[in-house]
Amino acid sequence: MSSVALVLALVAAQAPASHGVAPAAAPETTPATASTAPVDPARLAVARAVIDQVMPPASRAQMIEAMVAPVMTSISRTVMNTPALADTIGKDAKVRDAITRFMERQNARTMDNLRGELPAMAEAMSRAYARRFDERQLKEISAFFATPTGKVYLEQAPMVMSDPDVMAWQSRLMAKSMSTVQDDVAALTAELTAAREDEQ
């Protein structure tokens, strides 16, 4: 496998898991379970109000971007600094530029997808809350968020993902994940090479 092909294989293998690409949807014929059963309308109405407190519609996109952007930055940094890629990226400006553009496109696409899916995400979260908390509990949660401490929590919680300790943990996790991908790619390359040799 050429160095360029290895770079692309590693990045492609890493991007889906790290950028939140959803797994294939379950068939529409899947029978309803407790987790997908209809929710009580009264509970759902309160749950929607809670979600609006957690993520106010007017600032929802900015909040999500504040949480997701540090993660994507960490992913990009880890990919660019992975030992198996560093030599290739460092020695070949064209490869470095290509990988940089690739990561920028992936990040931009992820953010565009998130923005477009915000209403559906808020509704899904509302339904999840309505299934897991009864009306009394939801109102108590809402009451907490209306307190001074609750308001501070709502303001600061999205910023946790950009905390230095959290970002350092993300970087370590991504580095470990990339190391696994490198081993897997090497094993696959060896297996494919052996298969071609057996055919000759």
Side-chain angles (χ1 to χ4, degrees), residues 39-40 43-52 55 60 119-133 138:
V39 298
D40 178 72
R43 289 168 63 171
L44 181 57
V46 181
R48 285 171 175 154
V50 171
I51 294 303
D52 283 347
M55 296 185 298
R60 190 168 289 166
M121 182 191 72
E123 179 64 14
M125 292 180 64
S126 297
R127 298 178 71 82
Y129 272 51
R131 289 192 184 96
R132 287 159 177 79
F133 305 103
L138 288 166

Side-chain angles (χ1 to χ4, degrees), residues 190-200:
E191 185 175 348
L192 293 175
T193 300
R196 292 193 186 97
E197 291 174 351
D198 290 342
E199 293 175 355
Q200 294 177 354

Side-chain angles (χ1 to χ4, degrees), residues 94-188:
K94 291 183 179 179
V95 171
R96 182 177 62 252
D97 292 344
I99 296 300
T100 298
R101 289 194 300 271
F102 174 85
M103 297 304 299
E104 289 174 348
R105 289 195 301 270
Q106 292 299 308
N107 292 350
R109 186 174 295 115
T110 296
M111 296 309 305
D112 287 344
N113 289 340
L114 281 173
R115 294 187 194 99
E117 289 295 324
L118 283 178
M121 182 191 72
E123 179 64 14
M125 292 180 64
S126 297
R127 298 178 71 82
Y129 272 51
R131 289 192 184 96
R132 287 159 177 79
F133 305 103
D134 61 31
E135 191 171 347
R136 176 186 60 80
Q137 292 168 330
L138 288 166
K139 289 180 178 179
E140 289 178 354
I141 293 170
S142 178
F144 166 70
F145 287 152
T147 67
T149 299
K151 291 177 180 178
V152 172
Y153 171 81
L154 291 177
E155 291 173 357
Q156 294 300 317
M159 303 298 107
V160 170
M161 296 306 293
S162 60
D163 182 89
D165 285 337
V166 176
M167 293 192 69
W169 168 81
Q170 290 173 353
S171 295
R172 291 194 300 271
L173 178 63
M174 295 304 167
K176 182 182 294 185
S177 178
M178 287 298 292
S179 176
T180 301
V181 171
Q182 293 171 50
D183 293 341
D184 291 343
V185 170
L188 176 60

Side-chain angles (χ1 to χ4, degrees), residues 13-30:
Q14 180 68 11
S18 302
H19 285 206
V21 176
E28 295 182 0
T29 56
T30 301

